[in-house]
Amino acid sequence: MFRRDVKSIRDLILRNLRDQGLETPLLQKRLMESWPVVAGETIASYTLNTYILNQTLYVRLSSPALRADLSLRRTEFVRRLNEHVGNQVIADVRFC
């Protein structure tokens, strides 16, 4: 009798994405799309743009007062965003 090396489709797809160097961009995209969910709809309505550069999420806001308030909660947002994605994608959040 022989043993088969059975793997799930999910594992095969993740390995293929990792081999092609596409896992990190996919996780970054998922993290940016989760910003309205993690931050809440009110904060998301003031958000103009989000992008990731060197493991830092940059969030452009239209309200200077909100920018100052959220800057005090940066570590909380980093933790919640990474938990939402399920991986360590970012190390910092900057509000500009």
Side-chain angles (χ1 to χ4, degrees):
M1 215 148 114
F2 61 93
R3 291 182 81 182
R4 293 184 186 187
D5 189 20
V6 179
K7 299 189 191 274
S8 70
I9 299 281
R10 180 181 187 272
D11 292 338
L12 292 173
I13 290 173
L14 288 176
R15 181 186 301 162
N16 190 22
L17 287 172
R18 193 174 303 122
D19 291 345
Q20 293 181 10
L22 298 174
E23 182 181 30
T24 301
L26 180 64
L27 289 172
Q28 289 176 348
K29 175 103 171 107
R30 194 177 304 157
L31 186 130
M32 287 189 299
E33 289 176 349
S34 69
W35 172 252
V37 175
V38 171
E41 290 301 319
T42 304
I43 295 172
S45 67
Y46 288 99
T47 302
L48 301 175
N49 190 15
T50 59
Y51 63 95
I52 296 176
L53 182 65
N54 296 331
Q55 290 189 330
T56 302
L57 175 66
Y58 291 90
V59 180
R60 188 166 169 236
L61 298 168
S62 62
S63 170
L66 183 62
R67 185 180 320 131
D69 183 44
L70 294 182
S71 293
L72 299 173
R73 298 174 31 198
R74 285 181 11 213
T75 55
E76 176 188 347
F77 281 114
V78 169
R79 181 185 54 78
R80 289 176 56 200
L81 285 164
N82 284 328
E83 283 178 0
H84 193 269
V85 174
N87 208 335
Q88 179 70 29
V89 179
I90 59 170
D92 196 13
V93 177
R94 301 288 173 146
F95 299 100
C96 45

